Amino acid sequence: MDFGFTADDEAFRGEARAWLGANVSDTADRRAWERTLGKAGWIGIGWGEGGYGNRVATLTQQVVWAEEYARSGAPPRSGHIGEKLLAPTLLAHGTEEQKARFLPPVAVGEELWCQGYSEPGAGSDLAGVRTKAERASDGAYRVSGQKIWTSLAHEADWCFVLARTDPESVRHHGLTFLLVPMDQPGRIEVRPIRQMTGTSDFNEVFFDGAHARVEHVVGGEGAGWKVAMSLLGFERGVSTLAQLIGFAQELGMVVEAAVTSGAVGDPVVRERLVRQWAELRVMRWNALRTLGRAGDAGAPSVAKLLWGGWHQRLGELAMQVRGAAAGVGPVEWSASAPYELDEAQHLFLFSRADTIYGGSDQVQRTIIAERVLGLPREPKGVV
């Protein structure tokens, strides 16, 4: 299959590669890096003509940028939730005033966002959210409840929150999509969650009467489920292709480790390495095949099932090829460095979550069964 990059696309690739090569070396401050990207016009290149401070790029050029970014070794983005999730949602459902207020600061890297969806007891089952938003006498909302697994909440300026505005409602009814400022001492508390990797990329967020303005409701009160489902459709797409570039680099690391340790001489290991390579190619072709399609209910779920399991198996293979050495950290233990991991060990531990976050494998299979294959819906405890 030939994806067919044009001469203009390749010229765009050259520009992107040159800029990244000149700027990636100075990325220690991730918030400053977002501002650097924004100043050069590299944020929001897929938003189209809108006058929000971003340059315009075709779909293939968006793929080019995502691939070059992954290849460059640039750090994980702090602003991707605002750029890739909030912005497309506002473009689809927001008012002109909301677009004018929130998109330019994202485009220049000045405001960072987090996603207030999952809760204890309502993770993959998003319709079970219990966070409440009540109208106060001044017409604004007061948000109370708890969110969990909130990526980058400790850095974010704003959070888009799915909350229940109708106290009598059940399941997906009576939900509203609210834009909530995070700088509310005493009303919002962020608690980092320490992971197996020793890092804290996720957080618990507690809302205790946090304020949200009525003009910051997206899509209208009670329309939160529709907006939330629309947003989830933006989570996959061009970003998947960039993710696969990173996966290829990790696979190369595992192959090199297998050669160094001599594990490549084991025919079972060789078969696993070849299978990982072949499946990675299949995932890329599938991502290209479905890129830009609208209304394909099963495509995002199929993609998540493919890469989640693949990445988890790669982490297991990264440990297998190193043998007993995989259990030894990169530095001697000390009180100042009690939990140091090398790249392969981090891959193994972090990838254990790949089949859970972003919608568990079980949920993805249910979506495919019900929305694509037309099988009977799972019985619910509450209707």
Side-chain angles (χ1 to χ4, degrees):
M1 180 185 294
D2 182 6
F3 189 48
F5 290 115
T6 66
D8 287 344
D9 294 335
E10 294 304 331
F12 186 84
R13 184 185 301 278
E15 180 186 358
R17 184 173 296 177
W19 187 88
L20 288 164
N23 289 276
V24 163
S25 59
D26 185 19
T27 58
D29 185 334
R30 287 174 60 181
R31 186 176 279 268
W33 173 240
E34 290 297 319
R35 292 194 292 267
T36 299
L37 288 167
K39 185 177 180 180
W42 292 114
I43 298 178
I45 64 175
W47 297 352
E49 299 282 356
Y52 301 112
N54 55 299
R55 71 176 73 196
V56 177
T58 66
L59 185 59
T60 51
Q61 288 169 348
Q62 294 170 48
V63 172
V64 165
W65 167 251
E67 290 182 338
E68 292 303 318
Y69 191 93
R71 289 193 179 104
S72 72
R77 293 281 309 283
S78 292
H80 71 281
I81 295 176
E83 179 188 10
K84 303 296 185 182
L85 299 182
L86 174 77
T89 302
L90 289 183
L91 289 169
H93 302 284
T95 64
E96 292 304 316
E97 292 76 14
Q98 289 169 347
K99 296 174 191 177
R101 164 59 185 88
F102 292 109
L103 294 183
V106 172
V108 297
E110 290 292 345
E111 289 185 347
L112 304 181
W113 287 78
C114 61
Q115 177 178 8
Y117 272 21
S118 295
E119 301 180 4
S124 294
D125 182 19
L126 187 59
V129 299
R130 291 178 292 179
T131 294
K132 297 179 180 179
E134 300 175 336
R135 292 290 288 271
S137 58
D138 60 1
Y141 291 91
R142 300 294 182 265
V143 182
S144 298
Q146 178 185 358
K147 298 294 181 178
I148 198 167
W149 309 122
T150 309
S151 300
L152 303 176
H154 57 296
E155 299 180 17
D157 303 295
W158 288 80
C159 181
F160 49 86
V161 177
L162 190 64
R164 194 166 297 281
T165 47
D166 179 356
E168 303 300 321
S169 65
V170 295
R171 302 299 297 166
H172 59 276
H173 303 286
L175 299 174
T176 299
F177 191 99
L178 291 161
L179 309 181
V180 181
M182 292 293 286
D183 186 13
Q184 299 192 47
R187 295 192 179 98
I188 297 180
E189 180 185 0
V190 177
R191 299 180 190 172
I193 299 172
R194 188 172 175 85
Q195 300 154 227
M196 289 193 297
T197 56
T199 56
S200 299
D201 301 305
F202 306 117
N203 305 270
E204 292 179 280
V205 182
F206 296 85
F207 299 92
D208 186 9
H211 294 187
R213 295 165 60 177
V214 67
E215 60 265 36
H216 292 167
V217 171
V218 179
E221 184 174 301
W225 185 254
K226 176 183 176 181
V227 177
M229 292 301 98
S230 174
L231 182 144
L232 291 177
F234 299 130
E235 284 192 310
R236 329 259 194 249
V238 171
S239 60
T240 299
L241 288 162
Q243 182 183 47
L244 298 180
I245 297 293
F247 286 175
Q249 294 169 338
E250 291 176 337
L251 177 58
M253 173 190 70
V254 174
V255 171
E256 183 178 351
V259 173
T260 301
S261 69
V264 74
D266 184 336
V268 175
V269 171
R270 287 202 305 275
E271 189 273 338
R272 289 192 66 185
L273 289 169
V274 171
R275 180 177 291 275
Q276 290 290 134
W277 176 86
E279 290 176 350
L280 183 61
R281 299 290 290 178
V282 169
M283 286 192 291
R284 175 173 170 76
W285 295 132
N286 181 66
L288 292 172
R289 178 181 63 85
T290 59
L291 188 64
R293 290 189 180 181
D296 189 341
S301 294
V302 169
K304 177 63 169 59
L305 282 171
L306 288 173
W307 70 253
W310 184 93
H311 200 223
Q312 201 170 85
R313 293 191 296 275
L314 182 68
E316 295 166 354
L317 187 55
M319 297 295 97
Q320 180 183 355
V321 301
R322 293 172 60 186
V328 180
V331 298
E332 292 293 328
W333 186 93
S334 69
S336 61
Y339 199 77
E340 296 295 316
L341 301 173
D342 61 30
E343 189 175 1
Q345 290 166 334
H346 186 276
L347 164 63
F348 169 67
L349 291 176
F350 191 87
S351 64
R352 307 314 300 165
D354 284 346
T355 53
I356 301 173
Y357 70 77
S360 68
D361 278 9
Q362 291 84 351
V363 167
Q364 304 305 334
R365 292 190 178 99
T366 297
I367 291 172
I368 294 169
E370 295 178 356
R371 301 183 188 176
V372 179
L373 301 179
L375 298 179
R377 298 182 66 85
E378 278 194 340
K380 303 294 183 181
V382 178
V383 180

